[in-house]
Amino acid sequence: MGTPDTMALVSADSRIAELLTELHQLIKQTQEERSRSEHNLVNIQKTHERMQTENKISPYYRTKLRGLYTTAKADAEAECNILRKALDKIAEIKSLLEERRIAAKIAGLYNDSEPPRKTMRRGVLMTLLQQSAMTLPLWIGKPGDKPPPLCGAIPASGDYVAKPGDKVAARVKAVDGDEQWILAEVVSYSHATNKYEVDDIDEEGKERHTLSRRRIIPLPQWKANPETDPEALFQKEQLVLALYPQTTCFYRALIHTPPQRPQDDYSVLFEDTSYADGYSPPLNVAQRYVVACKEPKKK
């Protein structure tokens, strides 16, 4: 008989296996749908070519094209629905994997020869942070949908509570007494005290902080698409906190250029007194690691 924690892990594993099978089916369906609609799209192209050759739009062609385009629209909507279901499955799998990781951490299923991230090499941690930024899902709303809180630059709602495992920017006191914003992972939240317990991402299992809500900024949970939702991005010269490249600390910066395409990073200018104008040259920071700065701009 396993412990409740190990049983929960086995249950999560079997659910993940089920979801992966369902995801595989949906991907096959997408391909079938695409192959089916291909024939119709070729027909549309051929009809346009014939019209150009004859140099006229006859009632026959007009009716034919209307029918073809109606079918193409229905085909595209059917494919879109399958893709949305596949995206939902991926989100559910990611969520279960995260829950599984947290459960393993709580259950202490790391032995002494394999501590969690305490001895993780810096390069490995930086690669993981980069992967986390790249795999942040892109918000794809239906026509007319507005991006939700925690999409790009849109902050969390006022009553939002970050879940265990969520990544946040946390304001902590450094060894020298100065305050700094670090990348941290939520361990728990107490509704009684309105305080979070978070682990420094760089010192997992070693550096734990108890912090009030105002010292926590949840990181985005979706990337905003500049082509469809530019309003969900920080704009040029806006003051932000951005994760300095190759570190786990957030520093004040100005947006130099917002992303132009969904896969692009922000280009930011970090405050830096070693430069004549007080700012570093432009550096790239992923959407995942850029949040609003609540402090005023320096004069």
mmCIF file of all heavy atoms in Angstrom, residues 239-289:
data_model
loop_
_atom_site.group_PDB
_atom_site.id
_atom_site.type_symbol
_atom_site.label_atom_id
_atom_site.label_comp_id
_atom_site.label_asym_id
_atom_site.label_seq_id
_atom_site.Cartn_x
_atom_site.Cartn_y
_atom_site.Cartn_z
ATOM 1 N N LEU A 239 7.568 52.000 -17.794
ATOM 2 C CA LEU A 239 8.480 51.513 -16.758
ATOM 3 C C LEU A 239 8.039 50.119 -16.314
ATOM 4 O O LEU A 239 6.875 49.902 -15.991
ATOM 5 C CB LEU A 239 8.479 52.480 -15.570
ATOM 6 C CG LEU A 239 9.435 52.142 -14.424
ATOM 7 C CD1 LEU A 239 10.888 52.289 -14.839
ATOM 8 C CD2 LEU A 239 9.156 53.014 -13.206
ATOM 9 N N VAL A 240 8.989 49.192 -16.304
ATOM 10 C CA VAL A 240 8.682 47.797 -15.939
ATOM 11 C C VAL A 240 9.769 47.242 -15.023
ATOM 12 O O VAL A 240 10.798 47.876 -14.807
ATOM 13 C CB VAL A 240 8.600 46.896 -17.207
ATOM 14 C CG1 VAL A 240 7.438 47.290 -18.088
ATOM 15 C CG2 VAL A 240 9.922 46.914 -17.987
ATOM 16 N N LEU A 241 9.492 46.043 -14.494
ATOM 17 C CA LEU A 241 10.532 45.241 -13.850
ATOM 18 C C LEU A 241 10.808 44.096 -14.818
ATOM 19 O O LEU A 241 9.871 43.428 -15.257
ATOM 20 C CB LEU A 241 10.037 44.673 -12.515
ATOM 21 C CG LEU A 241 9.891 45.646 -11.352
ATOM 22 C CD1 LEU A 241 9.199 44.960 -10.181
ATOM 23 C CD2 LEU A 241 11.250 46.183 -10.901
ATOM 24 N N ALA A 242 12.076 43.898 -15.166
ATOM 25 C CA ALA A 242 12.428 42.855 -16.128
ATOM 26 C C ALA A 242 13.560 42.009 -15.564
ATOM 27 O O ALA A 242 14.435 42.514 -14.857
ATOM 28 C CB ALA A 242 12.837 43.481 -17.460
ATOM 29 N N LEU A 243 13.515 40.718 -15.865
ATOM 30 C CA LEU A 243 14.554 39.800 -15.390
ATOM 31 C C LEU A 243 15.827 40.067 -16.191
ATOM 32 O O LEU A 243 15.825 39.941 -17.417
ATOM 33 C CB LEU A 243 14.096 38.354 -15.596
ATOM 34 C CG LEU A 243 14.852 37.284 -14.820
ATOM 35 C CD1 LEU A 243 14.539 37.365 -13.330
ATOM 36 C CD2 LEU A 243 14.488 35.898 -15.334
ATOM 37 N N TYR A 244 16.897 40.446 -15.483
ATOM 38 C CA TYR A 244 18.148 40.762 -16.178
ATOM 39 C C TYR A 244 18.693 39.469 -16.792
ATOM 40 O O TYR A 244 18.743 38.440 -16.113
ATOM 41 C CB TYR A 244 19.162 41.375 -15.209
ATOM 42 C CG TYR A 244 20.275 42.099 -15.916
ATOM 43 C CD1 TYR A 244 20.152 43.454 -16.247
ATOM 44 C CD2 TYR A 244 21.441 41.431 -16.286
ATOM 45 C CE1 TYR A 244 21.155 44.123 -16.913
ATOM 46 C CE2 TYR A 244 22.460 42.094 -16.961
ATOM 47 C CZ TYR A 244 22.307 43.441 -17.273
ATOM 48 O OH TYR A 244 23.309 44.094 -17.945
ATOM 49 N N PRO A 245 19.087 39.484 -18.083
ATOM 50 C CA PRO A 245 19.563 38.255 -18.731
ATOM 51 C C PRO A 245 20.650 37.532 -17.930
ATOM 52 O O PRO A 245 21.539 38.173 -17.360
ATOM 53 C CB PRO A 245 20.121 38.761 -20.071
ATOM 54 C CG PRO A 245 19.334 40.014 -20.346
ATOM 55 C CD PRO A 245 19.083 40.640 -19.001
ATOM 56 N N GLN A 246 20.514 36.211 -17.883
ATOM 57 C CA GLN A 246 21.464 35.323 -17.186
ATOM 58 C C GLN A 246 21.511 35.532 -15.670
ATOM 59 O O GLN A 246 22.499 35.214 -15.016
ATOM 60 C CB GLN A 246 22.885 35.460 -17.774
ATOM 61 C CG GLN A 246 22.982 35.067 -19.244
ATOM 62 C CD GLN A 246 22.560 33.611 -19.493
ATOM 63 O OE1 GLN A 246 23.039 32.694 -18.842
ATOM 64 N NE2 GLN A 246 21.637 33.395 -20.424
ATOM 65 N N THR A 247 20.437 36.119 -15.098
ATOM 66 C CA THR A 247 20.337 36.252 -13.632
ATOM 67 C C THR A 247 18.942 35.804 -13.219
ATOM 68 O O THR A 247 18.091 35.509 -14.069
ATOM 69 C CB THR A 247 20.530 37.713 -13.152
ATOM 70 O OG1 THR A 247 19.321 38.455 -13.407
ATOM 71 C CG2 THR A 247 21.709 38.396 -13.817
ATOM 72 N N THR A 248 18.670 35.814 -11.900
ATOM 73 C CA THR A 248 17.317 35.495 -11.409
ATOM 74 C C THR A 248 16.757 36.689 -10.630
ATOM 75 O O THR A 248 15.956 36.539 -9.727
ATOM 76 C CB THR A 248 17.343 34.238 -10.509
ATOM 77 O OG1 THR A 248 18.256 34.474 -9.435
ATOM 78 C CG2 THR A 248 17.783 33.014 -11.284
ATOM 79 N N CYS A 249 17.219 37.895 -11.006
ATOM 80 C CA CYS A 249 16.744 39.127 -10.349
ATOM 81 C C CYS A 249 16.078 40.055 -11.355
ATOM 82 O O CYS A 249 16.506 40.157 -12.508
ATOM 83 C CB CYS A 249 17.901 39.864 -9.686
ATOM 84 S SG CYS A 249 18.529 39.001 -8.243
ATOM 85 N N PHE A 250 15.016 40.733 -10.868
ATOM 86 C CA PHE A 250 14.313 41.724 -11.685
ATOM 87 C C PHE A 250 14.851 43.118 -11.361
ATOM 88 O O PHE A 250 15.078 43.438 -10.187
ATOM 89 C CB PHE A 250 12.806 41.709 -11.367
ATOM 90 C CG PHE A 250 12.093 40.472 -11.816
ATOM 91 C CD1 PHE A 250 12.084 39.321 -11.028
ATOM 92 C CD2 PHE A 250 11.403 40.447 -13.019
ATOM 93 C CE1 PHE A 250 11.408 38.183 -11.434
ATOM 94 C CE2 PHE A 250 10.727 39.303 -13.433
ATOM 95 C CZ PHE A 250 10.732 38.173 -12.641
ATOM 96 N N TYR A 251 15.026 43.924 -12.408
ATOM 97 C CA TYR A 251 15.483 45.305 -12.221
ATOM 98 C C TYR A 251 14.574 46.231 -13.016
ATOM 99 O O TYR A 251 13.942 45.813 -13.997
ATOM 100 C CB TYR A 251 16.936 45.466 -12.683
ATOM 101 C CG TYR A 251 17.910 44.639 -11.875
ATOM 102 C CD1 TYR A 251 18.341 43.396 -12.347
ATOM 103 C CD2 TYR A 251 18.372 45.071 -10.634
ATOM 104 C CE1 TYR A 251 19.211 42.615 -11.602
ATOM 105 C CE2 TYR A 251 19.247 44.298 -9.885
ATOM 106 C CZ TYR A 251 19.661 43.068 -10.369
ATOM 107 O OH TYR A 251 20.522 42.291 -9.618
ATOM 108 N N ARG A 252 14.553 47.494 -12.580
ATOM 109 C CA ARG A 252 13.738 48.493 -13.288
ATOM 110 C C ARG A 252 14.294 48.720 -14.690
ATOM 111 O O ARG A 252 15.513 48.755 -14.885
ATOM 112 C CB ARG A 252 13.756 49.800 -12.506
ATOM 113 C CG ARG A 252 13.011 49.725 -11.176
ATOM 114 C CD ARG A 252 13.514 50.787 -10.216
ATOM 115 N NE ARG A 252 13.414 52.119 -10.764
ATOM 116 C CZ ARG A 252 12.453 53.003 -10.461
ATOM 117 N NH1 ARG A 252 11.518 52.678 -9.601
ATOM 118 N NH2 ARG A 252 12.438 54.198 -10.994
ATOM 119 N N ALA A 253 13.375 48.881 -15.636
ATOM 120 C CA ALA A 253 13.794 49.093 -17.025
ATOM 121 C C ALA A 253 12.699 49.845 -17.777
ATOM 122 O O ALA A 253 11.549 49.894 -17.334
ATOM 123 C CB ALA A 253 14.055 47.750 -17.700
ATOM 124 N N LEU A 254 13.072 50.440 -18.895
ATOM 125 C CA LEU A 254 12.104 51.077 -19.786
ATOM 126 C C LEU A 254 11.942 50.192 -21.017
ATOM 127 O O LEU A 254 12.917 49.630 -21.516
ATOM 128 C CB LEU A 254 12.596 52.457 -20.242
ATOM 129 C CG LEU A 254 12.634 53.580 -19.205
ATOM 130 C CD1 LEU A 254 13.110 54.865 -19.868
ATOM 131 C CD2 LEU A 254 11.262 53.808 -18.577
ATOM 132 N N ILE A 255 10.709 50.099 -21.499
ATOM 133 C CA ILE A 255 10.488 49.348 -22.739
ATOM 134 C C ILE A 255 11.089 50.154 -23.892
ATOM 135 O O ILE A 255 10.778 51.328 -24.080
ATOM 136 C CB ILE A 255 8.973 49.111 -22.989
ATOM 137 C CG1 ILE A 255 8.357 48.267 -21.863
ATOM 138 C CG2 ILE A 255 8.749 48.462 -24.362
ATOM 139 C CD1 ILE A 255 8.819 46.839 -21.748
ATOM 140 N N HIS A 256 11.967 49.506 -24.637
ATOM 141 C CA HIS A 256 12.591 50.140 -25.808
ATOM 142 C C HIS A 256 11.748 49.814 -27.043
ATOM 143 O O HIS A 256 11.361 50.690 -27.798
ATOM 144 C CB HIS A 256 14.029 49.613 -25.953
ATOM 145 C CG HIS A 256 14.747 50.151 -27.146
ATOM 146 N ND1 HIS A 256 14.931 51.496 -27.344
ATOM 147 C CD2 HIS A 256 15.330 49.518 -28.203
ATOM 148 C CE1 HIS A 256 15.604 51.680 -28.476
ATOM 149 N NE2 HIS A 256 15.842 50.493 -29.020
ATOM 150 N N THR A 257 11.430 48.523 -27.213
ATOM 151 C CA THR A 257 10.551 48.086 -28.312
ATOM 152 C C THR A 257 9.698 46.911 -27.837
ATOM 153 O O THR A 257 10.243 45.928 -27.338
ATOM 154 C CB THR A 257 11.370 47.584 -29.530
ATOM 155 O OG1 THR A 257 12.479 48.431 -29.734
ATOM 156 C CG2 THR A 257 10.528 47.542 -30.788
ATOM 157 N N PRO A 258 8.367 47.005 -27.978
ATOM 158 C CA PRO A 258 7.518 45.847 -27.640
ATOM 159 C C PRO A 258 7.706 44.754 -28.700
ATOM 160 O O PRO A 258 8.191 45.039 -29.799
ATOM 161 C CB PRO A 258 6.089 46.408 -27.699
ATOM 162 C CG PRO A 258 6.221 47.883 -27.877
ATOM 163 C CD PRO A 258 7.578 48.157 -28.435
ATOM 164 N N PRO A 259 7.308 43.509 -28.398
ATOM 165 C CA PRO A 259 7.400 42.446 -29.404
ATOM 166 C C PRO A 259 6.573 42.813 -30.643
ATOM 167 O O PRO A 259 5.506 43.402 -30.530
ATOM 168 C CB PRO A 259 6.788 41.226 -28.697
ATOM 169 C CG PRO A 259 6.833 41.552 -27.239
ATOM 170 C CD PRO A 259 6.741 43.027 -27.127
ATOM 171 N N GLN A 260 7.088 42.436 -31.813
ATOM 172 C CA GLN A 260 6.373 42.705 -33.070
ATOM 173 C C GLN A 260 5.604 41.458 -33.539
ATOM 174 O O GLN A 260 4.589 41.563 -34.207
ATOM 175 C CB GLN A 260 7.364 43.104 -34.182
ATOM 176 C CG GLN A 260 8.228 44.311 -33.846
ATOM 177 C CD GLN A 260 7.395 45.553 -33.545
ATOM 178 O OE1 GLN A 260 6.607 45.992 -34.380
ATOM 179 N NE2 GLN A 260 7.540 46.114 -32.346
ATOM 180 N N ARG A 261 6.138 40.279 -33.173
ATOM 181 C CA ARG A 261 5.501 39.001 -33.548
ATOM 182 C C ARG A 261 5.324 38.158 -32.290
ATOM 183 O O ARG A 261 6.012 38.406 -31.289
ATOM 184 C CB ARG A 261 6.390 38.255 -34.558
ATOM 185 C CG ARG A 261 6.542 38.971 -35.887
ATOM 186 C CD ARG A 261 7.663 38.349 -36.719
ATOM 187 N NE ARG A 261 8.907 38.300 -35.957
ATOM 188 C CZ ARG A 261 9.968 37.584 -36.291
ATOM 189 N NH1 ARG A 261 9.931 36.838 -37.363
ATOM 190 N NH2 ARG A 261 11.060 37.597 -35.549
ATOM 191 N N PRO A 262 4.431 37.140 -32.323
ATOM 192 C CA PRO A 262 4.164 36.362 -31.101
ATOM 193 C C PRO A 262 5.411 35.774 -30.444
ATOM 194 O O PRO A 262 5.495 35.690 -29.226
ATOM 195 C CB PRO A 262 3.243 35.239 -31.586
ATOM 196 C CG PRO A 262 2.595 35.783 -32.814
ATOM 197 C CD PRO A 262 3.601 36.692 -33.458
ATOM 198 N N GLN A 263 6.406 35.346 -31.245
ATOM 199 C CA GLN A 263 7.586 34.686 -30.665
ATOM 200 C C GLN A 263 8.670 35.675 -30.223
ATOM 201 O O GLN A 263 9.696 35.262 -29.672
ATOM 202 C CB GLN A 263 8.176 33.666 -31.660
ATOM 203 C CG GLN A 263 8.779 34.263 -32.923
ATOM 204 C CD GLN A 263 7.764 34.440 -34.050
ATOM 205 O OE1 GLN A 263 6.580 34.671 -33.788
ATOM 206 N NE2 GLN A 263 8.219 34.360 -35.289
ATOM 207 N N ASP A 264 8.450 36.979 -30.470
ATOM 208 C CA ASP A 264 9.489 37.982 -30.139
ATOM 209 C C ASP A 264 9.545 38.307 -28.652
ATOM 210 O O ASP A 264 8.538 38.199 -27.940
ATOM 211 C CB ASP A 264 9.239 39.289 -30.905
ATOM 212 C CG ASP A 264 9.508 39.160 -32.393
ATOM 213 O OD1 ASP A 264 10.048 38.108 -32.802
ATOM 214 O OD2 ASP A 264 9.167 40.094 -33.142
ATOM 215 N N ASP A 265 10.718 38.768 -28.214
ATOM 216 C CA ASP A 265 10.912 39.276 -26.850
ATOM 217 C C ASP A 265 10.702 40.787 -26.835
ATOM 218 O O ASP A 265 10.642 41.429 -27.884
ATOM 219 C CB ASP A 265 12.352 38.993 -26.381
ATOM 220 C CG ASP A 265 12.640 37.510 -26.217
ATOM 221 O OD1 ASP A 265 11.681 36.746 -26.073
ATOM 222 O OD2 ASP A 265 13.829 37.133 -26.235
ATOM 223 N N TYR A 266 10.639 41.345 -25.621
ATOM 224 C CA TYR A 266 10.727 42.798 -25.465
ATOM 225 C C TYR A 266 12.189 43.196 -25.614
ATOM 226 O O TYR A 266 13.100 42.426 -25.246
ATOM 227 C CB TYR A 266 10.294 43.222 -24.056
ATOM 228 C CG TYR A 266 8.812 43.240 -23.810
ATOM 229 C CD1 TYR A 266 8.186 42.194 -23.127
ATOM 230 C CD2 TYR A 266 8.037 44.319 -24.201
ATOM 231 C CE1 TYR A 266 6.826 42.213 -22.860
ATOM 232 C CE2 TYR A 266 6.666 44.355 -23.934
ATOM 233 C CZ TYR A 266 6.069 43.302 -23.270
ATOM 234 O OH TYR A 266 4.735 43.333 -23.008
ATOM 235 N N SER A 267 12.411 44.406 -26.106
ATOM 236 C CA SER A 267 13.749 45.002 -26.035
ATOM 237 C C SER A 267 13.632 46.068 -24.935
ATOM 238 O O SER A 267 12.736 46.922 -24.988
ATOM 239 C CB SER A 267 14.096 45.645 -27.377
ATOM 240 O OG SER A 267 15.270 46.391 -27.240
ATOM 241 N N VAL A 268 14.480 45.964 -23.893
ATOM 242 C CA VAL A 268 14.356 46.897 -22.750
ATOM 243 C C VAL A 268 15.677 47.593 -22.449
ATOM 244 O O VAL A 268 16.756 47.085 -22.791
ATOM 245 C CB VAL A 268 13.851 46.172 -21.464
ATOM 246 C CG1 VAL A 268 12.566 45.418 -21.724
ATOM 247 C CG2 VAL A 268 14.902 45.249 -20.884
ATOM 248 N N LEU A 269 15.571 48.765 -21.809
ATOM 249 C CA LEU A 269 16.745 49.525 -21.364
ATOM 250 C C LEU A 269 16.766 49.483 -19.841
ATOM 251 O O LEU A 269 15.889 50.076 -19.186
ATOM 252 C CB LEU A 269 16.654 50.983 -21.842
ATOM 253 C CG LEU A 269 16.318 51.209 -23.328
ATOM 254 C CD1 LEU A 269 16.023 52.686 -23.590
ATOM 255 C CD2 LEU A 269 17.474 50.743 -24.209
ATOM 256 N N PHE A 270 17.708 48.772 -19.250
ATOM 257 C CA PHE A 270 17.792 48.692 -17.788
ATOM 258 C C PHE A 270 18.399 49.971 -17.220
ATOM 259 O O PHE A 270 19.314 50.557 -17.815
ATOM 260 C CB PHE A 270 18.663 47.496 -17.367
ATOM 261 C CG PHE A 270 17.967 46.175 -17.508
ATOM 262 C CD1 PHE A 270 18.168 45.378 -18.633
ATOM 263 C CD2 PHE A 270 17.105 45.718 -16.524
ATOM 264 C CE1 PHE A 270 17.514 44.160 -18.765
ATOM 265 C CE2 PHE A 270 16.453 44.497 -16.644
ATOM 266 C CZ PHE A 270 16.655 43.714 -17.774
ATOM 267 N N GLU A 271 17.867 50.399 -16.058
ATOM 268 C CA GLU A 271 18.473 51.550 -15.366
ATOM 269 C C GLU A 271 19.898 51.168 -14.983
ATOM 270 O O GLU A 271 20.123 50.121 -14.366
ATOM 271 C CB GLU A 271 17.667 51.907 -14.113
ATOM 272 C CG GLU A 271 16.323 52.534 -14.443
ATOM 273 C CD GLU A 271 15.555 52.973 -13.195
ATOM 274 O OE1 GLU A 271 16.011 52.674 -12.076
ATOM 275 O OE2 GLU A 271 14.509 53.624 -13.354
ATOM 276 N N ASP A 272 20.864 51.992 -15.379
ATOM 277 C CA ASP A 272 22.268 51.676 -15.117
ATOM 278 C C ASP A 272 23.081 52.959 -15.071
ATOM 279 O O ASP A 272 23.284 53.620 -16.102
ATOM 280 C CB ASP A 272 22.802 50.749 -16.221
ATOM 281 C CG ASP A 272 24.158 50.153 -15.875
ATOM 282 O OD1 ASP A 272 24.905 50.806 -15.113
ATOM 283 O OD2 ASP A 272 24.470 49.062 -16.372
ATOM 284 N N THR A 273 23.524 53.323 -13.869
ATOM 285 C CA THR A 273 24.230 54.605 -13.684
ATOM 286 C C THR A 273 25.619 54.624 -14.324
ATOM 287 O O THR A 273 26.238 55.673 -14.427
ATOM 288 C CB THR A 273 24.379 54.922 -12.175
ATOM 289 O OG1 THR A 273 24.933 53.767 -11.538
ATOM 290 C CG2 THR A 273 23.038 55.243 -11.549
ATOM 291 N N SER A 274 26.119 53.460 -14.762
ATOM 292 C CA SER A 274 27.444 53.464 -15.390
ATOM 293 C C SER A 274 27.395 53.999 -16.830
ATOM 294 O O SER A 274 28.423 54.184 -17.467
ATOM 295 C CB SER A 274 28.067 52.064 -15.364
ATOM 296 O OG SER A 274 27.265 51.166 -16.089
ATOM 297 N N TYR A 275 26.171 54.255 -17.343
ATOM 298 C CA TYR A 275 26.042 54.860 -18.679
ATOM 299 C C TYR A 275 25.627 56.319 -18.536
ATOM 300 O O TYR A 275 24.899 56.680 -17.601
ATOM 301 C CB TYR A 275 24.996 54.109 -19.514
ATOM 302 C CG TYR A 275 25.454 52.709 -19.888
ATOM 303 C CD1 TYR A 275 25.149 51.620 -19.068
ATOM 304 C CD2 TYR A 275 26.213 52.487 -21.036
ATOM 305 C CE1 TYR A 275 25.573 50.331 -19.399
ATOM 306 C CE2 TYR A 275 26.646 51.207 -21.365
ATOM 307 C CZ TYR A 275 26.331 50.136 -20.543
ATOM 308 O OH TYR A 275 26.764 48.876 -20.866
ATOM 309 N N ALA A 276 26.074 57.139 -19.474
ATOM 310 C CA ALA A 276 25.860 58.601 -19.402
ATOM 311 C C ALA A 276 24.383 58.962 -19.274
ATOM 312 O O ALA A 276 24.015 59.827 -18.471
ATOM 313 C CB ALA A 276 26.458 59.271 -20.639
ATOM 314 N N ASP A 277 23.508 58.265 -20.028
ATOM 315 C CA ASP A 277 22.076 58.613 -19.967
ATOM 316 C C ASP A 277 21.325 57.845 -18.883
ATOM 317 O O ASP A 277 20.108 57.955 -18.754
ATOM 318 C CB ASP A 277 21.427 58.391 -21.340
ATOM 319 C CG ASP A 277 21.467 56.930 -21.781
ATOM 320 O OD1 ASP A 277 22.081 56.110 -21.056
ATOM 321 O OD2 ASP A 277 20.868 56.595 -22.825
ATOM 322 N N GLY A 278 22.057 57.012 -18.114
ATOM 323 C CA GLY A 278 21.436 56.286 -16.999
ATOM 324 C C GLY A 278 20.772 54.980 -17.391
ATOM 325 O O GLY A 278 20.124 54.339 -16.555
ATOM 326 N N TYR A 279 20.925 54.579 -18.668
ATOM 327 C CA TYR A 279 20.299 53.321 -19.119
ATOM 328 C C TYR A 279 21.284 52.470 -19.905
ATOM 329 O O TYR A 279 22.130 52.991 -20.632
ATOM 330 C CB TYR A 279 19.070 53.603 -20.000
ATOM 331 C CG TYR A 279 17.933 54.205 -19.213
ATOM 332 C CD1 TYR A 279 17.726 55.585 -19.201
ATOM 333 C CD2 TYR A 279 17.069 53.400 -18.467
ATOM 334 C CE1 TYR A 279 16.687 56.145 -18.455
ATOM 335 C CE2 TYR A 279 16.031 53.947 -17.728
ATOM 336 C CZ TYR A 279 15.855 55.316 -17.721
ATOM 337 O OH TYR A 279 14.839 55.865 -16.989
ATOM 338 N N SER A 280 21.128 51.135 -19.774
ATOM 339 C CA SER A 280 21.968 50.195 -20.521
ATOM 340 C C SER A 280 21.579 50.223 -21.997
ATOM 341 O O SER A 280 20.503 50.711 -22.344
ATOM 342 C CB SER A 280 21.737 48.778 -19.979
ATOM 343 O OG SER A 280 20.446 48.325 -20.378
ATOM 344 N N PRO A 281 22.436 49.651 -22.873
ATOM 345 C CA PRO A 281 21.994 49.446 -24.265
ATOM 346 C C PRO A 281 20.813 48.467 -24.256
ATOM 347 O O PRO A 281 20.602 47.757 -23.268
ATOM 348 C CB PRO A 281 23.209 48.800 -24.934
ATOM 349 C CG PRO A 281 24.362 49.056 -24.015
ATOM 350 C CD PRO A 281 23.798 49.162 -22.637
ATOM 351 N N PRO A 282 20.034 48.393 -25.355
ATOM 352 C CA PRO A 282 18.859 47.505 -25.382
ATOM 353 C C PRO A 282 19.237 46.036 -25.159
ATOM 354 O O PRO A 282 20.215 45.548 -25.719
ATOM 355 C CB PRO A 282 18.281 47.697 -26.788
ATOM 356 C CG PRO A 282 18.880 48.951 -27.305
ATOM 357 C CD PRO A 282 20.188 49.129 -26.618
ATOM 358 N N LEU A 283 18.455 45.361 -24.311
ATOM 359 C CA LEU A 283 18.648 43.926 -24.061
ATOM 360 C C LEU A 283 17.294 43.228 -24.234
ATOM 361 O O LEU A 283 16.254 43.821 -23.938
ATOM 362 C CB LEU A 283 19.161 43.692 -22.631
ATOM 363 C CG LEU A 283 20.613 44.117 -22.357
ATOM 364 C CD1 LEU A 283 20.880 44.124 -20.855
ATOM 365 C CD2 LEU A 283 21.596 43.184 -23.055
ATOM 366 N N ASN A 284 17.303 41.985 -24.704
ATOM 367 C CA ASN A 284 16.065 41.234 -24.929
ATOM 368 C C ASN A 284 15.631 40.483 -23.676
ATOM 369 O O ASN A 284 16.451 39.826 -23.038
ATOM 370 C CB ASN A 284 16.254 40.232 -26.076
ATOM 371 C CG ASN A 284 16.196 40.915 -27.421
ATOM 372 O OD1 ASN A 284 16.056 42.135 -27.499
ATOM 373 N ND2 ASN A 284 16.328 40.162 -28.480
ATOM 374 N N VAL A 285 14.345 40.618 -23.335
ATOM 375 C CA VAL A 285 13.764 39.878 -22.202
ATOM 376 C C VAL A 285 12.419 39.312 -22.656
ATOM 377 O O VAL A 285 11.599 40.020 -23.243
ATOM 378 C CB VAL A 285 13.569 40.791 -20.960
ATOM 379 C CG1 VAL A 285 12.998 39.987 -19.793
ATOM 380 C CG2 VAL A 285 14.877 41.451 -20.547
ATOM 381 N N ALA A 286 12.191 38.022 -22.372
ATOM 382 C CA ALA A 286 10.957 37.331 -22.796
ATOM 383 C C ALA A 286 9.741 37.915 -22.077
ATOM 384 O O ALA A 286 9.839 38.406 -20.948
ATOM 385 C CB ALA A 286 11.074 35.847 -22.486
ATOM 386 N N GLN A 287 8.567 37.817 -22.728
ATOM 387 C CA GLN A 287 7.312 38.306 -22.117
ATOM 388 C C GLN A 287 7.095 37.730 -20.726
ATOM 389 O O GLN A 287 6.576 38.400 -19.846
ATOM 390 C CB GLN A 287 6.121 37.919 -22.995
ATOM 391 C CG GLN A 287 5.875 38.815 -24.191
ATOM 392 C CD GLN A 287 4.459 38.653 -24.708
ATOM 393 O OE1 GLN A 287 3.489 38.680 -23.934
ATOM 394 N NE2 GLN A 287 4.315 38.502 -26.014
ATOM 395 N N ARG A 288 7.474 36.459 -20.534
ATOM 396 C CA ARG A 288 7.248 35.780 -19.251
ATOM 397 C C ARG A 288 7.875 36.520 -18.092
ATOM 398 O O ARG A 288 7.405 36.420 -16.956
ATOM 399 C CB ARG A 288 7.849 34.372 -19.332
ATOM 400 C CG ARG A 288 7.763 33.580 -18.022
ATOM 401 C CD ARG A 288 7.349 32.172 -18.316
ATOM 402 N NE ARG A 288 7.293 31.268 -17.190
ATOM 403 C CZ ARG A 288 6.302 31.193 -16.325
ATOM 404 N NH1 ARG A 288 5.297 32.039 -16.406
ATOM 405 N NH2 ARG A 288 6.303 30.299 -15.356
ATOM 406 N N TYR A 289 8.975 37.248 -18.357
ATOM 407 C CA TYR A 289 9.763 37.856 -17.273
ATOM 408 C C TYR A 289 9.720 39.386 -17.281
ATOM 409 O O TYR A 289 10.683 40.031 -16.884
ATOM 410 C CB TYR A 289 11.214 37.355 -17.345
ATOM 411 C CG TYR A 289 11.319 35.844 -17.259
ATOM 412 C CD1 TYR A 289 11.945 35.097 -18.263
ATOM 413 C CD2 TYR A 289 10.767 35.142 -16.184
ATOM 414 C CE1 TYR A 289 12.028 33.706 -18.183
ATOM 415 C CE2 TYR A 289 10.833 33.755 -16.106
ATOM 416 C CZ TYR A 289 11.473 33.053 -17.114
ATOM 417 O OH TYR A 289 11.538 31.682 -17.033
#
